[in-house]
Amino acid sequence: MKKIIVLAMALSLTATVVSCKKGAGKLGSAVLNMGGEADANAVIDFNNNFIDSYKSTSKHIERILKYADAAVAKSKGENVLIMPITLTSMDYSFSKIKEIPSGFDKEKAAIEKDFSIYKSKKENIDKKVEELKSYMTSEDYKDDKGAKAEAIRKEIEGDVNDFYTAGENIMLKIKPATDAAEEVILKDHPMKEYIISSKSVMNSMDSVIDLLEKQYSGQFNEAEAQKKYDEFAKAVEANSKLNFDVKDQQYSYKKPQFESFNKNASNFLDLYRKLIRDAKEKSKIQDNDIQQIDSSYESVLGAYNIFVK
């Protein structure tokens, strides 16, 4: 089956969405070293595996940081009833990445450098949290009053910052090539119409998330929020009106997945209306509403990724 780009989840309410672009044929010749569909698939495979890895590791890191904070607090005598749980990260997607595809051409060396940092910091963070766990289990903090816990936390935080810097650098560098690779794949893809239309929905939702992130930390602007709502509603309506009619047996089973994506997008609209109404009443976006929007975003994103896989 031809490979299609999987989109990234919202990280701290900021979506990284890979979009289809017009004129990608010229873009492809400029940034890609593709001999054909096989090279395009390799680029898309790397994109999809890296995004899955980045997503799962980011969630894992969030738990580690919470554990580190609790460890420092407990080691200094504060009352911590339950220590946060940090399990071993099962990053299967990361294990699938064996090399940086040659299709990235001029960016390949830079991506390899950032990926090396990404990998080393990812490993360092896991090693440091295991060291911290040992320290806490043995209650060695009773000897140094938490000094080592504080030091390890700082080391973890430094590695986390480097990890995210490398991750974001990789995302920026692989995007143009991945867009161009998808253009190669979509050229004669049986689901081209539905994929491009669905991605327009995702791009519009990404714009919504960007706006809500700014308004959540700043001031709510009903007119701006409503404008983004109208734009997103139009994209969802247009996609929902498409009659999924793919004769190719390899893709005909995708119809329920396409419909599920549209249903999830419609649910997002319902929550968005609620958010606007509540924010208008309270003059600010409510925590519960933004959490529901974030959860709904991941549901739409997950439905999209299932549809295009």
Side-chain angles (χ1 to χ4, degrees):
M1 184 179 290
K2 294 179 178 180
K3 307 292 177 62
I4 302 299
I5 299 172
V6 169
L7 305 186
M9 71 167 285
L11 294 174
S12 301
L13 287 179
T14 303
T16 306
V17 178
V18 182
S19 60
C20 267
K21 295 182 179 178
K22 294 181 179 179
K26 293 181 180 179
L27 176 65
S29 63
V31 300
L32 287 178
N33 178 29
M34 286 196 293
E37 193 173 295
D39 290 320
N41 277 336
V43 166
I44 290 173
D45 270 339
F46 177 84
N47 175 86
N48 292 352
N49 287 328
F50 178 75
I51 283 175
D52 283 343
S53 171
Y54 198 19
K55 176 173 65 175
S56 63
T57 305
S58 295
K59 289 183 177 180
H60 179 56
I61 285 175
E62 286 180 13
R63 293 189 288 269
I64 287 175
L65 290 174
K66 289 179 180 178
Y67 178 86
D69 285 342
V72 169
K74 184 173 182 178
S75 68
K76 292 184 178 298
E78 295 181 28
N79 185 24
V80 178
L81 296 178
I82 301 176
M83 292 291 289
I85 298 175
T86 59
L87 302 175
T88 302
S89 177
M90 305 301 289
D91 193 350
Y92 298 112
S93 296
F94 181 79
S95 65
K96 294 178 183 178
I97 301 174
K98 306 302 181 184
E99 61 181 0
I100 308 301
S102 59
F104 287 111
D105 202 19
K106 295 178 180 179
E107 291 285 7
K108 185 174 185 291
I111 295 171
E112 286 176 335
K113 181 179 179 180
D114 283 319
F115 188 72
S116 178
I117 296 172
Y118 175 91
K119 180 181 179 180
S120 65
K121 297 304 177 181
K122 175 181 167 72
E123 292 172 349
N124 285 351
I125 292 167
D126 281 334
K127 289 178 182 177
K128 288 297 178 182
V129 75
E130 289 304 317
E131 183 181 352
L132 183 56
K133 285 181 180 179
S134 174
Y135 170 83
M136 295 302 295
T137 300
S138 62
E139 297 188 352
D140 287 340
Y141 54 83
K142 292 182 178 180
D143 298 327
D144 66 358
K145 298 181 180 179
K148 186 174 181 179
E150 183 67 55
I152 293 176
R153 180 175 68 173
K154 288 181 179 178
E155 291 175 357
I156 289 174
E157 289 174 346
D159 283 337
V160 167
N161 287 334
D162 292 341
F163 169 86
Y164 280 121
T165 297
E168 291 305 308
N169 285 342
I170 292 170
M171 293 294 290
L172 289 172
K173 289 182 175 71
I174 67 176
K175 186 181 187 305
T178 311
D179 282 345
E182 190 178 41
E183 279 297 306
V184 172
I185 298 303
L186 282 179
K187 185 177 180 181
D188 58 354
H189 199 289
M191 295 200 308
K192 179 177 180 178
E193 177 185 9
Y194 310 103
I195 291 171
I196 291 177
S197 178
S198 296
K199 188 167 288 186
S200 294
V201 173
M202 294 302 301
N203 288 341
S204 180
M205 187 164 63
D206 177 46
S207 182
V208 168
I209 293 294
D210 284 343
L211 176 70
L212 294 182
E213 180 189 30
K214 294 174 183 176
Q215 293 197 357
Y216 177 63
S217 58
Q219 185 175 1
F220 175 68
N221 185 311
E222 182 187 358
E224 289 182 354
Q226 186 63 50
K227 180 181 178 181
K228 290 297 181 184
Y229 174 90
D230 293 340
E231 291 173 356
F232 183 60
K234 184 177 180 180
V236 173
E237 181 181 10
N239 205 49
S240 299
K241 285 183 177 180
L242 290 178
N243 178 30
F244 191 90
D245 185 23
V246 178
K247 305 302 182 184
D248 190 328
Q249 291 298 312
Q250 189 179 15
Y251 299 100
S252 58
Y253 76 95
K254 288 285 185 178
K255 182 176 181 179
Q257 296 175 1
F258 179 67
E259 293 172 344
S260 176
F261 168 70
N262 286 323
K263 182 178 180 180
N264 276 280
S266 180
N267 290 340
F268 183 94
L269 275 172
D270 293 342
L271 292 174
Y272 193 6
R273 285 199 305 276
K274 178 178 180 297
L275 180 148
I276 292 175
R277 185 181 301 109
D278 291 347
K280 181 180 178 181
E281 180 181 340
K282 303 291 185 179
S283 298
K284 62 175 295 186
I285 295 177
Q286 304 301 295
D287 291 345
N288 183 57
D289 285 333
I290 205 69
Q291 289 168 6
Q292 289 181 335
I293 282 287
D294 192 26
S295 177
S296 182
Y297 173 88
E298 291 195 40
S299 296
V300 179
L301 178 61
Y304 173 85
N305 285 340
I306 290 172
F307 169 56
V308 301
K309 276 185 175 178

